[in-house]
Amino acid sequence: PFQRTIQTAEFIARKFGQKIQLEPMLHEFYTDTIFSKTFKRLSLKEIAASNPYIVGDYGNGEFLPAKFETRDDLKLRAAILRNSLLKMLSMAKEKSESIILVSHWAIIESLVSSMCKIQLSQISNCSVTKIRYVNNSFHLEYGSRNDFIPAL
């Protein structure tokens, strides 16, 4: 489920000389309209073993939900991830530390709503949404930009 996002994250990691850490809460919106019941579910350990840019210890257990998600499940997952990010940012040694999250439209849309208390009207493919963390709160700098991609 992370294949396309890992490819994007790998590109960014190479560009900035960084490594990738998998965050299971950033997985795609797990619905029956996107995934079939016969979808092969890989563990984070299997996913990490397939890419030299991924660092960290990951278990063999499942990270996708046992059942397909609803929009409410997605909103709850975004709120849990927001709280985890707040905790990580509050404990950061350097307050200007940046975190790049790579994922798909549904979780990004839910995260923006949970973090910034606004609703994006659309999340475009291959787009970037930039959120700043200032004075202990999240602020949307821009949403769903893809004007940096050259026209074909």
Side-chain angles (χ1 to χ4, degrees):
F2 279 151
Q3 188 60 37
R4 292 178 311 204
T5 57
I6 288 173
Q7 291 168 345
T8 302
E10 181 181 336
F11 175 82
I12 294 167
R14 279 191 311 226
K15 180 90 173 154
F16 292 101
Q18 299 295 315
K19 293 291 186 178
I20 299 168
Q21 293 181 351
L22 298 178
E23 171 50 66
M25 295 293 243
L26 283 172
H27 69 76
E28 285 103 327
F29 188 20
Y30 191 57
T31 67
D32 57 352
T33 58
I34 299 172
F35 296 94
S36 71
K37 291 186 179 189
T38 60
F39 170 74
K40 180 166 174 22
R41 296 161 61 116
L42 299 175
S43 70
L44 291 177
K45 187 174 189 173
E46 291 171 303
I47 294 169
S50 70
N51 190 304
Y53 283 90
I54 298 174
V55 296
D57 265 334
Y58 303 99
N60 283 319
E62 291 282 332
F63 68 93
L64 288 171
K67 63 176 183 60
F68 291 125
E69 291 180 294
T70 65
R71 287 298 277 177
D72 286 341
D73 295 331
L74 182 65
K75 289 176 185 177
L76 177 60
R77 180 161 49 100
I80 292 169
L81 181 55
R82 176 204 62 217
N83 292 344
S84 175
L85 289 169
L86 280 169
K87 181 178 180 183
M88 184 172 47
L89 288 166
S90 70
M91 294 174 20
K93 292 176 185 156
E94 295 181 30
K95 296 302 177 192
S96 63
E97 185 173 327
S98 295
I99 300 169
I100 298 173
L101 304 176
V102 180
S103 193
H104 295 275
W105 69 268
I107 189 63
I108 296 297
E109 176 186 60
S110 293
L111 266 175
V112 168
S113 177
S114 181
M115 293 169 133
C116 303
K117 308 297 185 240
I118 62 168
Q119 196 67 38
L120 289 178
S121 59
Q122 176 184 346
I123 302 286
S124 301
N125 289 333
C126 298
S127 67
V128 174
T129 297
K130 186 174 183 179
I131 298 170
R132 289 200 170 275
Y133 182 67
V134 180
N135 298 326
N136 298 321
S137 65
F138 293 106
H139 305 275
L140 181 68
E141 189 165 317
Y142 54 80
S144 193
R145 267 189 53 194
N146 58 11
D147 55 341
F148 59 90
I149 301 171
L152 296 176

